[in-house]
């Protein structure tokens, strides 16, 4: 039996990854700040409480060593150097990165999207050969780029698979984009406004599909970068309709030809140009096949969101979502816009 250490084990990806590895025959040490155990994990999963920012705690969690270290919570150069320092005790690593590291051929990226004409015009689909942002510590995207640079440079000492995840979805997500349509349906809103004709595409990534990539990469040490997204990239209108179907409601779409108007028509997936990734490299290098499609994963996601919202203000239930997106449910502004058009 081989040994895997999973950092960030009780996060949305970590829970699925621990489960996938343990059921595939790995001896798994699940490391998290709370030291909690998911009830669905096999009983022989070892649980360790540690903060990965604490070098000594991280070293102790790895112990005498492991065959693979899976890291969900590495965000920059410092975390990369932490991992490289363990090279003598860790056989290989699988680390979560992000599609936000990509920039288009004109240098536009997720960090420039608020500027006039600043949203990137990526090729469709984006391959791993697409250029990336300059590494740094100024943003999430540049931090992930720095993480990648450091780990790839040390690939001769610590083989690493970097997984560039898309719009992650699944239970335990602290910023679930699906909340936007779930709450509207719960609030009885039967009309929604969608900018860009409802055609925005921001490639989703199920935690179950990411966990499958982790499971496949773990026994195949190598230094590689792979996209990590679902087999389909539905439009925002298709996502809304799929959530309606799960919740058993009917909603009328009002489609704007252009961008949101004073926030009306905006959603967490709304982008003026598609963000769609290619998965050919994962198929070729790991023999990857997705385990779930977006619509098929929705019932579990919707149920989790509904349970978390029950009897609570959404800002209390999802404070990180409110911080990231602001007031997603300004119904008064939406109704005023509808009356004035």
């Amino acid at each position: 039996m081989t040994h895997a250490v999973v950092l960030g084990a009780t996060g949305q990806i970590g829970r699925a990854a621990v489960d996938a590895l343990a059921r595939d025959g790995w001896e798994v040490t699940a490391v998290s700040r709370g030291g909690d155990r998911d009830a669905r994990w096999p009983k022989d999963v070892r649980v360790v409480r540690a903060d990965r920012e604490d070098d000594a705690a991280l070293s102790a969690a790895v112990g005498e060593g492991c065959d693979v270290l899976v890291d969900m919570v590495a965000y920059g150069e410092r975390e990369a150097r932490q991992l490289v320092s363990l090279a003598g005790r860790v056989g290989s690593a699988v680390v979560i990165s992000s599609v936000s590291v990509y920039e288009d051929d004109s240098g536009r990226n997720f960090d420039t999207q608020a500027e006039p004409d600043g949203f990137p015009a990526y090729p469709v689909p984006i391959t791993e050969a697409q250029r990336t942002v300059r590494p740094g510590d100024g943003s999430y995207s540049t931090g992930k780029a720095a993480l990648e640079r450091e780990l790839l440079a040390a690939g001769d000492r610590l083989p690493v698979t970097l997984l560039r995840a898309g719009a992650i979805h699944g239970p335990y997500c602290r910023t679930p984009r699906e909340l936007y349509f779930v709450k509207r349906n719960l609030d009885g809103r039967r009309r929604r406004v969608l900018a860009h004709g409802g055609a925005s595409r921001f490639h989703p990534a199920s935690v179950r599909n990411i966990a499958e990539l982790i499971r496949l990469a773990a026994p195949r040490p190598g230094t590689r970068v792979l996209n990590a997204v679902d087999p389909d990239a539905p439009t925002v209108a298709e996502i809304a309709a799929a959530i309606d179907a799960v919740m058993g409601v009917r909603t009328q779409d009002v489609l704007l030809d252009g961008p949101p108007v004073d926030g009306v028509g905006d959603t967490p997936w709304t982008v003026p140009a598609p963000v769609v990734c290619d998965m050919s490299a994962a198929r070729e290098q790991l023999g990857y096949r997705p385990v779930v499609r977006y619509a098929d994963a929705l019932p579990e996601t919707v149920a989790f969101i509904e349970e978390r919202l029950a009897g609570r203000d959404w800002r209390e239930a999802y404070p990180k979502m409110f911080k990231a997106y602001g007031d997603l449910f300004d119904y008064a502004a939406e109704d005023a816009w509808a009356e004035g058009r």
Side-chain angles (χ1 to χ4, degrees):
M1 183 177 290
T2 47
H3 183 205
V5 173
V6 178
L7 305 181
T10 55
Q12 56 176 334
I13 305 173
R15 290 173 187 266
V18 169
D19 190 61
L21 290 168
R23 296 185 189 282
D24 203 34
W26 289 79
E27 176 188 345
V28 181
T29 298
V31 182
S32 66
R33 284 183 295 182
D36 300 322
R37 174 182 294 276
D38 191 298
R40 296 170 298 180
W41 293 344
K43 293 182 179 180
D44 57 357
V45 170
R46 176 172 173 256
V47 173
V48 172
R49 180 177 181 178
D51 186 341
R52 66 86 30 80
E53 294 301 313
D54 183 330
D55 293 345
L58 176 60
S59 179
V62 172
E64 295 182 1
C66 62
D67 297 281
V68 64
L69 188 151
V70 184
D71 194 346
M72 316 298 173
V73 286
Y75 296 106
E77 186 175 300
R78 181 185 183 278
E79 290 85 356
R81 291 179 175 174
Q82 271 186 317
L83 296 178
V84 174
S85 73
L86 298 170
R89 290 185 285 152
V90 173
S92 67
V94 182
V95 179
I96 301 299
S97 186
S98 169
V99 299
S100 73
V101 300
Y102 289 123
E103 70 176 13
D104 71 9
D105 295 339
S106 298
R108 294 173 297 189
N109 52 67
F110 281 23
D111 291 340
T112 67
Q113 60 183 305
E115 302 171 7
D117 192 33
F119 195 86
Y122 295 123
V124 178
I126 307 168
T127 71
E128 292 85 351
Q130 181 66 27
R131 61 189 278 183
T132 58
V133 299
R134 185 185 299 275
D137 58 5
S139 72
Y140 175 82
S141 300
T142 60
K144 284 290 191 181
L147 170 76
E148 290 191 0
R149 179 188 61 185
E150 291 293 321
L151 290 175
L152 292 173
D156 57 335
R157 288 176 285 160
L158 179 66
V160 60
T161 297
L162 288 156
L163 298 177
R164 290 175 176 163
I168 302 171
H169 62 97
Y172 299 98
C173 182
R174 291 187 294 171
T175 54
R177 290 170 173 82
E178 290 75 15
L179 171 68
Y180 182 79
F181 294 123
V182 172
K183 178 170 166 53
R184 290 180 65 90
N185 286 343
L186 292 175
D187 290 342
R189 302 291 292 188
R190 295 297 177 259
R191 179 183 61 196
R192 57 180 166 243
V193 184
L194 301 176
H196 304 295
S200 294
R201 298 171 74 198
F202 193 131
H203 212 144
S206 166
V207 294
R208 290 170 60 189
N209 285 329
I210 298 172
E212 175 66 2
L213 284 163
I214 292 168
R215 184 188 73 82
L216 292 170
R220 298 171 175 83
T223 296
R224 57 175 80 92
V225 178
L226 298 173
N227 287 331
V229 293
D230 289 348
D232 44 353
T235 66
V236 66
E238 291 169 339
I239 289 172
I243 292 173
D244 284 356
V246 171
M247 300 182 72
V249 302
R250 290 179 176 271
T251 306
Q252 174 192 4
D253 286 342
V254 178
L255 304 180
L256 296 178
D257 289 336
V261 178
D262 296 328
V264 175
D266 202 4
T267 79
W269 294 273
T270 299
V271 289
V275 181
V276 177
C277 295
D278 184 86
M279 288 298 292
S280 298
R283 289 194 296 270
E284 294 166 1
Q285 296 182 38
L286 298 179
Y288 168 72
R289 295 292 183 272
V291 297
V292 68
R293 305 189 74 88
Y294 180 78
D296 295 332
L298 272 179
E300 186 179 25
T301 300
V302 171
F304 186 85
I305 293 172
E306 288 182 311
E307 181 179 352
R308 191 170 181 85
L309 284 176
R312 304 171 71 185
D313 184 284
W314 77 272
R315 290 161 293 193
E316 176 192 353
Y318 288 103
K320 191 174 179 181
M321 190 77 174
F322 179 59
K323 183 178 180 180
Y325 292 99
D327 187 1
L328 286 168
F329 306 103
D330 189 350
Y331 298 147
E334 187 175 293
D335 291 342
W337 173 86
E339 292 174 5
R341 70 187 178 102

